[in-house]
Amino acid sequence: MAASWQEYLKLLDGLSKTLEKLTQVEREKNEAAAAGNLLAVEDCMKREQALSMSLRGYDQRRDAMLASLGLTGVRLNDLERHCPEELQMEAKAAAEELRRQYALFKTASDVVRNTLEINLRAIERMQAVQAGDSAQAEEDRRAHQTDFRA
C-alpha cells in the first residue's frame, strides 16, 4: 500500500510543478498583454492550453489512484488523515505545496484576466471614438455638400 501512496504523492508533486509552470506562463502573458504584444500573448495561450491538457491527464490519473487507494471523494485537506502514518508528513507537505501553487496560479490568472479586460475596454473605447469620428466626418461632409438640383 505504501508504494501506491508513494506514487500518489509523486503525482501530487508533478501536479504542483505543472501548476508552477502554468503560473509562470500566466505571468508572461500578463507582461505581454500589458505591453500590447499580441504575438507573445498568443504564444502564452498556446503553452497554457498544452499545460491545461497535462492537468487534465493528472486529474484522470489522480481519480484512478484515489479509487485504487479506496479514497474516492477524499479532499486534499483530508489526505493526511487517510495516509499511512510513516507518510503523513510527506502527504501534508505535498498537499500544502499543491494548495500553495494553486493559490499562486489563481492570483496570476486573476491579474491576467484583469489586464486583458482593461486592454479590451481601451480597444473598445478607441473603436467607439473612431466610429464616432467617422460618423461625424460623414455628417460634416453632408452638411457642406452643395445641392445643385435646384
Side-chain angles (χ1 to χ4, degrees):
M1 183 179 205
S4 295
W5 270 97
Q6 286 289 357
E7 290 172 20
Y8 182 68
L9 295 177
K10 285 180 185 177
L11 178 106
L12 293 181
D13 182 56
L15 184 54
S16 292
K17 288 177 180 170
T18 300
L19 278 173
E20 184 176 15
K21 290 176 188 174
L22 193 54
T23 300
Q24 182 57 37
V25 170
E26 289 296 297
R27 289 178 180 141
E28 291 173 20
K29 186 165 67 170
N30 186 55
E31 290 172 14
N37 186 343
L38 187 57
L39 291 177
V41 170
E42 288 177 6
D43 178 61
C44 289
M45 290 174 76
K46 288 176 186 175
R47 290 187 293 150
E48 181 180 45
Q49 188 175 23
L51 288 167
S52 293
M53 295 297 286
S54 178
L55 287 176
R56 284 190 197 118
Y58 274 111
D59 197 37
Q60 291 171 347
R61 288 191 307 252
R62 183 185 57 80
D63 286 344
M65 287 180 140
L66 284 173
S68 74
L69 291 168
L71 300 173
T72 302
V74 172
R75 295 169 31 114
L76 192 59
N77 291 336
D78 299 328
L79 182 65
E80 181 184 349
R81 288 186 273 167
H82 291 81
C83 79
E85 189 174 327
E86 66 272 12
L87 295 174
Q88 282 183 346
M89 294 303 291
E90 191 175 343
K92 180 180 179 179
E96 286 175 358
E97 177 62 12
L98 184 55
R99 283 192 298 270
R100 186 180 79 78
Q101 288 299 331
Y102 179 75
L104 290 171
F105 165 72
K106 179 83 170 91
T107 300
S109 179
D110 289 346
V111 169
V112 170
R113 188 184 71 244
N114 289 336
T115 300
L116 290 172
E117 286 175 359
I118 288 167
N119 286 347
L120 182 59
R121 282 190 216 111
I123 290 169
E124 288 172 345
R125 280 193 302 272
M126 286 177 11
Q127 286 177 333
V129 166
Q130 288 175 347
D133 287 348
S134 295
Q136 184 64 43
E138 180 64 24
E139 189 176 313
D140 289 347
R141 187 185 61 76
R142 284 191 194 134
H144 291 92
Q145 198 171 27
T146 305
D147 188 358
F148 293 106
R149 290 181 288 177

